[in-house]
PDB file of all heavy atoms in Angstrom:
ATOM      1  N   LYS A1320     122.963 105.436  87.417  1.00 95.00           N
ATOM      2  CA  LYS A1320     124.047 105.729  88.277  1.00 95.00           C
ATOM      3  C   LYS A1320     124.380 104.620  89.231  1.00 95.00           C
ATOM      4  O   LYS A1320     125.515 104.203  89.423  1.00 95.00           O
ATOM      5  CB  LYS A1320     123.826 106.992  89.131  1.00 95.00           C
ATOM      6  CG  LYS A1320     123.635 108.278  88.307  1.00 95.00           C
ATOM      7  CD  LYS A1320     123.525 109.494  89.202  1.00 95.00           C
ATOM      8  CE  LYS A1320     122.335 109.544  90.146  1.00 95.00           C
ATOM      9  NZ  LYS A1320     121.032 109.612  89.470  1.00 95.00           N
ATOM     10  N   PRO A1334     135.137 101.655  96.984  1.00 97.00           N
ATOM     11  CA  PRO A1334     133.726 101.500  97.438  1.00 97.00           C
ATOM     12  C   PRO A1334     132.808 102.463  96.661  1.00 97.00           C
ATOM     13  O   PRO A1334     133.231 103.546  96.210  1.00 97.00           O
ATOM     14  CB  PRO A1334     133.761 101.932  98.885  1.00 97.00           C
ATOM     15  CG  PRO A1334     135.034 102.651  99.070  1.00 97.00           C
ATOM     16  CD  PRO A1334     135.954 102.179  98.070  1.00 97.00           C
ATOM     17  N   LYS A1348     116.414 101.194 109.418  1.00 96.00           N
ATOM     18  CA  LYS A1348     116.797 101.007 110.825  1.00 96.00           C
ATOM     19  C   LYS A1348     116.131 101.916 111.792  1.00 96.00           C
ATOM     20  O   LYS A1348     116.381 101.873 112.986  1.00 96.00           O
ATOM     21  CB  LYS A1348     118.367 101.312 110.951  1.00 96.00           C
ATOM     22  CG  LYS A1348     119.161 100.193 110.343  1.00 96.00           C
ATOM     23  CD  LYS A1348     120.633 100.403 110.742  1.00 96.00           C
ATOM     24  CE  LYS A1348     121.585  99.827 109.761  1.00 96.00           C
ATOM     25  NZ  LYS A1348     122.744 100.697 109.352  1.00 96.00           N
ATOM     26  N   ARG A1349     115.280 102.836 111.255  1.00 96.00           N
ATOM     27  CA  ARG A1349     114.505 103.774 112.100  1.00 96.00           C
ATOM     28  C   ARG A1349     115.408 104.625 112.982  1.00 96.00           C
ATOM     29  O   ARG A1349     115.134 104.769 114.135  1.00 96.00           O
ATOM     30  CB  ARG A1349     113.472 102.991 112.925  1.00 96.00           C
ATOM     31  CG  ARG A1349     112.656 102.053 112.053  1.00 96.00           C
ATOM     32  CD  ARG A1349     111.453 101.510 112.727  1.00 96.00           C
ATOM     33  NE  ARG A1349     110.403 101.274 111.782  1.00 96.00           N
ATOM     34  CZ  ARG A1349     109.414 102.134 111.485  1.00 96.00           C
ATOM     35  NH1 ARG A1349     109.400 103.306 112.083  1.00 96.00           N
ATOM     36  NH2 ARG A1349     108.531 101.875 110.588  1.00 96.00           N
ATOM     37  N   LYS A1415     141.463 114.304  95.862  1.00 89.00           N
ATOM     38  CA  LYS A1415     140.683 115.242  95.138  1.00 89.00           C
ATOM     39  C   LYS A1415     139.737 114.475  94.181  1.00 89.00           C
ATOM     40  O   LYS A1415     139.932 113.228  94.052  1.00 89.00           O
ATOM     41  CB  LYS A1415     141.607 116.140  94.305  1.00 89.00           C
ATOM     42  CG  LYS A1415     142.449 115.319  93.293  1.00 89.00           C
ATOM     43  CD  LYS A1415     143.197 116.281  92.392  1.00 89.00           C
ATOM     44  CE  LYS A1415     144.024 115.572  91.356  1.00 89.00           C
ATOM     45  NZ  LYS A1415     143.592 114.328  90.749  1.00 89.00           N
ATOM     46  N   VAL A1424     120.400 111.135  79.886  1.00 94.00           N
ATOM     47  CA  VAL A1424     119.261 110.371  79.464  1.00 94.00           C
ATOM     48  C   VAL A1424     118.077 111.312  79.361  1.00 94.00           C
ATOM     49  O   VAL A1424     117.938 112.220  80.201  1.00 94.00           O
ATOM     50  CB  VAL A1424     118.902 109.254  80.485  1.00 94.00           C
ATOM     51  CG1 VAL A1424     117.730 108.411  79.998  1.00 94.00           C
ATOM     52  CG2 VAL A1424     120.056 108.351  80.828  1.00 94.00           C
ATOM     53  N   LYS A1431     110.071 105.817  81.912  1.00 90.00           N
ATOM     54  CA  LYS A1431     109.907 104.337  81.561  1.00 90.00           C
ATOM     55  C   LYS A1431     110.829 103.499  82.453  1.00 90.00           C
ATOM     56  O   LYS A1431     110.393 102.517  82.983  1.00 90.00           O
ATOM     57  CB  LYS A1431     110.293 104.134  80.087  1.00 90.00           C
ATOM     58  CG  LYS A1431     109.110 104.230  79.124  1.00 90.00           C
ATOM     59  CD  LYS A1431     109.614 103.664  77.773  1.00 90.00           C
ATOM     60  CE  LYS A1431     110.093 104.796  76.898  1.00 90.00           C
ATOM     61  NZ  LYS A1431     110.781 104.379  75.678  1.00 90.00           N
ATOM     62  N   GLU A1456     111.206  85.665  89.086  1.00 96.00           N
ATOM     63  CA  GLU A1456     110.380  86.830  89.471  1.00 96.00           C
ATOM     64  C   GLU A1456     110.601  87.263  90.905  1.00 96.00           C
ATOM     65  O   GLU A1456     110.592  86.422  91.803  1.00 96.00           O
ATOM     66  CB  GLU A1456     108.903  86.474  89.213  1.00 96.00           C
ATOM     67  CG  GLU A1456     108.070  87.595  88.692  1.00 96.00           C
ATOM     68  CD  GLU A1456     106.663  87.140  88.373  1.00 96.00           C
ATOM     69  OE1 GLU A1456     106.520  86.200  87.578  1.00 96.00           O
ATOM     70  OE2 GLU A1456     105.743  87.647  89.028  1.00 96.00           O
ATOM     71  N   LEU A1461     121.785  88.227  91.916  1.00 95.00           N
ATOM     72  CA  LEU A1461     123.106  88.194  92.535  1.00 95.00           C
ATOM     73  C   LEU A1461     123.133  87.593  93.875  1.00 95.00           C
ATOM     74  O   LEU A1461     124.031  86.781  94.201  1.00 95.00           O
ATOM     75  CB  LEU A1461     123.638  89.648  92.635  1.00 95.00           C
ATOM     76  CG  LEU A1461     123.763  90.448  91.336  1.00 95.00           C
ATOM     77  CD1 LEU A1461     124.435  91.790  91.640  1.00 95.00           C
ATOM     78  CD2 LEU A1461     124.536  89.717  90.291  1.00 95.00           C
ATOM     79  N   ASP A1472     109.440 105.559  93.270  1.00 93.00           N
ATOM     80  CA  ASP A1472     109.415 105.190  91.839  1.00 93.00           C
ATOM     81  C   ASP A1472     108.017 105.101  91.350  1.00 93.00           C
ATOM     82  O   ASP A1472     107.722 104.338  90.374  1.00 93.00           O
ATOM     83  CB  ASP A1472     110.157 103.829  91.634  1.00 93.00           C
ATOM     84  CG  ASP A1472     111.665 104.017  91.542  1.00 93.00           C
ATOM     85  OD1 ASP A1472     112.168 105.147  91.441  1.00 93.00           O
ATOM     86  OD2 ASP A1472     112.361 102.961  91.574  1.00 93.00           O
ATOM     87  N   LYS A1498     135.441 123.193  86.081  1.00 96.00           N
ATOM     88  CA  LYS A1498     136.688 122.772  86.717  1.00 96.00           C
ATOM     89  C   LYS A1498     137.442 121.838  85.808  1.00 96.00           C
ATOM     90  O   LYS A1498     138.606 121.375  86.174  1.00 96.00           O
ATOM     91  CB  LYS A1498     136.330 121.948  87.970  1.00 96.00           C
ATOM     92  CG  LYS A1498     135.845 122.830  89.173  1.00 96.00           C
ATOM     93  CD  LYS A1498     135.529 121.863  90.342  1.00 96.00           C
ATOM     94  CE  LYS A1498     134.914 122.616  91.524  1.00 96.00           C
ATOM     95  NZ  LYS A1498     135.833 123.401  92.325  1.00 96.00           N
ATOM     96  N   GLU A1511     126.048  97.049  79.556  1.00 95.00           N
ATOM     97  CA  GLU A1511     127.432  96.703  79.251  1.00 95.00           C
ATOM     98  C   GLU A1511     128.040  97.784  78.381  1.00 95.00           C
ATOM     99  O   GLU A1511     129.201  98.193  78.563  1.00 95.00           O
ATOM    100  CB  GLU A1511     127.457  95.335  78.534  1.00 95.00           C
ATOM    101  CG  GLU A1511     128.710  94.557  78.603  1.00 95.00           C
ATOM    102  CD  GLU A1511     129.418  94.619  79.964  1.00 95.00           C
ATOM    103  OE1 GLU A1511     128.792  94.351  80.983  1.00 95.00           O
ATOM    104  OE2 GLU A1511     130.658  94.964  79.941  1.00 95.00           O
ATOM    105  N   VAL A1521     137.165 107.158  82.415  1.00 94.00           N
ATOM    106  CA  VAL A1521     137.751 107.238  83.774  1.00 94.00           C
ATOM    107  C   VAL A1521     139.167 106.677  83.800  1.00 94.00           C
ATOM    108  O   VAL A1521     139.841 106.814  84.753  1.00 94.00           O
ATOM    109  CB  VAL A1521     136.869 106.583  84.876  1.00 94.00           C
ATOM    110  CG1 VAL A1521     135.510 107.201  84.937  1.00 94.00           C
ATOM    111  CG2 VAL A1521     136.822 105.053  84.719  1.00 94.00           C
TER     112      VAL A1521
END
Side-chain angles (χ1 to χ4, degrees):
K1320 299 187 296 293
K1348 285 191 207 134
R1349 309 191 149 267
K1415 60 172 183 35
V1424 184
K1431 267 193 267 166
E1456 216 174 301
L1461 302 187
D1472 277 348
K1498 289 180 185 283
E1511 204 40 53
V1521 302

